[in-house]
Amino acid sequence: MWILRLNMNDRTYRLSEVPEAYKNLGGRGTTSTIVHDEVPPLCHPLGPNNKLVFAPGIVTGTAAPTSARVSAGAKSWLTGGIKESNAGSSWASYFANMQIKALIVEGQPMEKGKYWITHLTWDDKAGKPKAEFLPADPYTGKDLYEVFPKVYEQFGTRAAIAGCGVAGEYGYGNSGIAFNDLGKRPSRYSGRGGLGAVMASRRLKFIVLDSKGAPGVPIANQGLFDQGAKKLAEALREHAITKPKGGLNTYGTAVLVNIMNEAGGLPTRNFSSGRFEGAAKIAGEAIFEGVKNRLGKEVYNHACSPGCIIQCSNTWYKTDGTEHTSCVEYESDWALGANCGIDSLDDVAEMVRLCNAYGLDTIETGTALAVAMEAGVIPFGDGKKAIQLVHEMGKGTPMGRILGGGTDFAGRAFGVTRVPTVKRQSMPAYEPRAVKGMGVTYATTTMGADHTAGYTIAPEILSVGGKVDPLSPEGKAALSRGFQATTAFIDSTGHCLFIAFAILDIASGFEGMMEECNGVLGTNWKSEDAAKIGGEILRKERAFNEAAGIGKEEDRIPEFMKYEPLPPHNQVFDVSDKVLDSVYGEL
Amino acid sequence: MMRIRVKVFATLGRHIAGGVTGAPFPLEVPDATTIADLVRQLNLPREEVKVAFVNGRTRPLDWPLQPEDEVGIFPPIGGG
Ligand code: SF4
């Protein structure tokens, strides 16, 4: 396995052996460790000293089910703290198959406005990966849907692509890194935290991979690995949420719209209510039925990346039956729908498409639009005007740049007090006043408000992995801490976090995940080690944030949530600061 | 008898004839009906019922309903 460093100053690269201390890391564990070890915490995220790190998970590239994830990490341009954001893509498995443990993008060319492509291939003779640098001029300043087919033309249809859109080029705090899906769309995102701008600031537009001839991931104990992969696959095929034609495969992640609305925890019109009267019109069920009506047949969802059993990615179609966009995820659907008071799936889908085209994070986009709506820039519920504002973001107009700066930045520009951010990153689709454990995760995670960092929704709302009262503040520090630590581990394995629904309920599935990792690495981890290993990762992330000036004073929910009761339960966020501090204090 | 409002979601919608998933419908049920009784009355497969809400709060299946309650019934779902 290799560590590959790209030096963007002079467009050279260097391969080195993986240091002993990094051998058992993967995904988030790898990116967060390298950012912690190598990035000066006080550097400017867009300056020459930040580094962008990519790492496949421990089992990515193997036959382990639902494991084609890649983590991207850096000092975040949005939060100023550490960031890890992972995505599912064939890019991830190719990358792993080339035996690259981590790709570290360093330096910054002096020349402005000129971008590069790095083409990574397998050098059969030398038995190692090889990098080439090519000018990206024809691809800059453009819609990624227009550019991706041309990149495939240049590098061949076997290629896999990672890159940033114009949002990154403009230096937006709201800019992600796009990866190809299996349909060659620029639609899988490491969306959060402004990593697109970190990539663009190194003047790197695309990393194109072709793994032809690559040897694949070395496996220390094949028998153990196979046994683990089988157990996990069985759990995924058995659990009602993850099985074929189960909840996720039928309705996609947007199946959550109705249940969050029912629980009074679906943030609506810039977090001013927990119920949206138009929820049923944008829910996963409405997507499924809408597609059935428009195509005249039932369509189940597809995989975003090779080897996924769950297959949760949907496609929305226009009235004439042609494809509109993929994928309308729950968070996107909510951010651009309920949170903006918009109940038209066609308008939501158009904004999802535009976010993919421009390289924007759908969550941060919807929450920034809602803050602008609150300020009276456009009315709540006006889908057509919202679409125009997303275009302004893509064109880089002054209004577009205010919104592209992120939700917190837009809130400042417009003088809004109801700004739903923690550490300058906007909250996703769960209301902390109605789901207190999720509020604790938002407040304390090293990532800025992030649902994936510790998904307490599972026991609080979905009755998965236990059952707890979402409105009660009791016991939520321990609940969130446990979820955060286990999640940091799952994010390191390369598995999609959605396997959690199955393995939280089915113990043999969890064991299977551990056996897969032991099979690949030759380790001897037990199920209870997952939270321990995850906890180590969290400690490094926390240390980086503290050194970057982000201490426990920033582990707080926005003030308005402490004095504004949220309908329908009319609750405020009542978890004390002491309890919030205990999440990491007692890690 | 008392009147309640019922919503049935996701795959459970297949069991309600002519019903739209998630659209509330009024129902007359005997006094002191529990959620479990309601599940039986609607012919929903008990093993597919995972979470039930009464007026926005999760309630156990033996929860007795009151007049004008709004009940939401879900199969196992997840996402994020
Ligand atoms: S479960 Fe969904 S998001 Fe996760 S890898 Fe599969 S298709 Fe992608």
Side-chain angles (χ1 to χ4, degrees):
Chain A
M1 301 289 278
W2 305 95
I3 303 269
L4 170 59
R5 288 174 195 271
L6 305 181
N7 181 342
M8 295 309 295
N9 290 329
D10 55 5
R11 267 84 61 202
T12 54
Y13 73 98
R14 191 154 55 87
L15 280 167
S16 55
E17 298 269 332
V18 178
E20 196 56 39
Y22 291 3
K23 283 232 157 92
N24 293 337
L25 301 175
R28 178 174 172 184
T30 309
T31 62
S32 288
T33 301
I34 293 175
V35 172
H36 169 272
D37 291 352
E38 297 192 13
V39 175
L42 293 173
C43 75
H44 194 294
L46 303 187
N49 294 318
N50 199 3
K51 298 184 184 190
L52 177 63
V53 187
F54 294 89
I58 294 167
V59 302
T60 303
T62 68
T66 313
S67 68
R69 308 284 298 190
V70 57
S71 291
K75 172 166 170 162
S76 165
W77 174 218
L78 187 71
T79 70
I82 199 163
K83 175 57 63 182
E84 184 270 352
S85 182
N86 63 70
S89 170
S90 57
W91 198 93
S93 1
Y94 290 179
F95 188 52
N97 283 322
M98 293 165 90
Q99 302 201 334
I100 304 171
K101 186 93 174 166
L103 169 71
I104 308 174
V105 186
E106 305 175 321
Q108 186 166 60
M110 297 295 279
E111 197 183 342
K112 284 217 164 145
K114 178 143 181 80
Y115 290 87
W116 299 88
I117 298 172
T118 301
H119 188 215
L120 294 181
T121 51
W122 184 257
D123 183 344
D124 231 353
K125 255 196 250 132
K128 39 174 128 159
K130 185 174 94 186
E132 263 179 305
F133 295 84
L134 301 135
D137 305 303
Y139 304 128
T140 54
K142 296 200 173 106
D143 178 333
L144 287 176
Y145 282 102
E146 188 188 321
V147 162
F148 260 49
K150 293 183 181 147
V151 178
Y152 279 114
E153 219 169 275
Q154 182 175 352
F155 295 96
T157 49
R158 291 179 37 91
I161 309 172
C164 57
V166 290
E169 294 175 32
Y170 291 137
Y172 289 172
N174 172 0
S175 58
I177 295 175
F179 295 86
N180 63 278
D181 76 353
L182 289 177
K184 300 189 162 45
R185 307 174 185 95
S187 62
R188 308 308 308 186
Y189 267 78
S190 281
R192 309 230 67 195
L195 293 179
V198 174
M199 183 167 183
S201 67
R202 260 115 279 281
R203 314 279 175 252
L204 182 58
K205 179 74 181 168
F206 292 123
I207 303 169
V208 181
L209 303 180
D210 188 340
S211 61
K212 189 159 176 258
V217 179
I219 294 179
N221 181 341
Q222 187 74 45
L224 184 62
F225 170 82
D226 290 344
Q227 176 184 315
K230 185 158 169 269
K231 280 189 194 169
L232 178 58
E234 279 167 5
L236 295 175
R237 287 207 180 90
E238 177 189 328
H239 198 279
I241 295 177
T242 53
K243 69 183 184 189
K245 297 208 175 175
L248 277 168
N249 183 231
T250 308
Y251 300 113
T253 54
V255 70
L256 288 179
V257 170
N258 279 327
I259 199 166
M260 287 313 303
N261 194 54
E262 197 62 22
L266 185 73
T268 298
R269 294 188 187 82
N270 193 31
F271 289 75
S272 61
S273 170
R275 283 253 170 92
F276 180 43
E277 67 289 350
K281 290 194 197 162
I282 58 167
E285 291 93 326
I287 296 174
F288 183 78
E289 291 300 324
V291 169
K292 193 164 118 188
N293 284 339
R294 289 180 180 183
L295 297 188
K297 59 173 187 205
E298 286 188 348
V299 179
Y300 291 84
N301 296 328
H302 60 268
C304 72
S305 51
C308 178
I309 289 179
I310 305 172
Q311 311 205 353
C312 77
S313 302
N314 60 19
T315 309
W316 181 247
Y317 294 86
K318 297 183 184 170
T319 43
D320 64 4
T322 58
E323 178 173 323
H324 192 164
T325 199
S326 174
C327 161
V328 184
E329 300 279 12
Y330 170 58
E331 307 296 333
S332 314
D333 193 16
W334 157 80
L336 301 159
N339 194 46
C340 291
I342 293 169
D343 65 5
S344 153
L345 271 173
D346 290 315
D347 289 346
V348 168
E350 178 60 8
M351 287 189 273
V352 169
R353 191 186 70 80
L354 291 175
C355 286
N356 290 345
Y358 296 139
L360 296 160
D361 172 23
T362 51
I363 298 175
E364 202 67 42
T365 300
T367 49
L369 288 175
V371 161
M373 287 172 168
E374 168 127 7
V377 175
I378 59 168
F380 278 111
D382 193 332
K384 301 294 172 277
K385 289 209 171 100
I387 290 168
Q388 281 318 311
L389 287 184
V390 184
H391 276 301
E392 294 213 30
M393 294 166 83
K395 287 188 190 125
T397 64
M399 173 60 79
R401 283 174 184 257
I402 288 172
L403 297 169
T407 308
D408 188 74
F409 187 78
R412 282 167 191 272
F414 298 131
V416 173
T417 50
R418 195 186 283 131
V419 180
T421 58
V422 179
K423 303 182 179 81
R424 292 190 284 280
Q425 179 166 289
S426 79
M427 288 176 187
Y430 313 88
E431 234 304 337
R433 287 165 285 185
V435 201
K436 306 262 161 79
M438 185 45 87
V440 174
T441 293
Y442 285 166
T444 57
T445 160
T446 50
M447 296 291 147
D450 178 357
H451 62 296
T452 67
Y455 197 67
T456 62
I457 296 300
E460 290 188 287
I461 301 289
L462 308 173
S463 297
V464 170
K467 223 178 199 165
V468 284
D469 179 4
L471 295 180
S472 163
E474 292 308 313
K476 296 298 165 74
L479 183 74
S480 173
R481 186 190 308 119
F483 266 87
Q484 289 193 49
T486 307
T487 301
F489 179 79
I490 297 177
D491 285 344
S492 300
T493 65
H495 282 297
C496 176
L497 197 51
F498 294 157
I499 68 161
F501 295 116
I503 68 174
L504 283 174
D505 281 340
I506 304 173
S508 61
F510 204 109
E511 261 164 48
M513 171 179 73
M514 301 312 283
E515 285 167 2
E516 286 174 344
C517 292
N518 289 334
V520 169
L521 298 172
T523 44
N524 194 17
W525 295 339
K526 303 270 176 297
S527 289
E528 56 274 20
D529 291 324
K532 233 187 290 164
I533 296 163
E536 284 305 314
I537 298 167
L538 296 180
R539 265 184 221 110
K540 285 180 205 162
E541 293 175 349
R542 181 81 181 182
F544 181 92
N545 279 1
E546 281 173 1
I550 302 174
K552 63 180 186 186
E553 300 73 19
E554 301 226 18
D555 289 350
R556 298 293 179 258
I557 283 296
E559 190 197 11
F560 79 89
M561 292 184 172
K562 296 189 215 167
Y563 61 73
E564 249 182 40
L566 181 85
H569 297 302
N570 296 316
Q571 293 248 337
V572 294
F573 188 73
D574 56 358
V575 180
S576 71
D577 290 353
K578 205 168 131 236
V579 169
L580 291 177
D581 291 344
S582 74
V583 173
Y584 276 78
E586 292 170 22
L587 180 70
Chain B
M1 296 294 275
M2 60 179 181
R3 221 173 112 94
I4 57 170
R5 280 156 63 81
V6 183
K7 288 178 275 185
V8 170
F9 294 95
T11 39
L12 290 177
R14 293 171 189 158
H15 303 281
I16 305 287
V20 181
T21 300
F25 56 91
L27 200 67
E28 290 280 334
V29 293
D31 293 339
T33 290
T34 64
I35 300 173
D37 298 333
L38 176 65
V39 166
R40 254 191 310 271
Q41 192 178 328
L42 292 171
N43 280 324
L44 300 176
R46 167 67 194 86
E47 66 286 357
E48 285 180 34
V49 173
K50 176 79 173 178
V51 189
F53 290 86
V54 179
N55 305 325
R57 303 293 310 269
T58 316
R59 299 300 185 197
L61 286 187
D62 58 3
W63 186 265
L65 299 170
Q66 305 286 326
E68 302 307 319
D69 273 352
E70 188 152 306
V71 187
I73 307 175
F74 289 85
I77 59 168

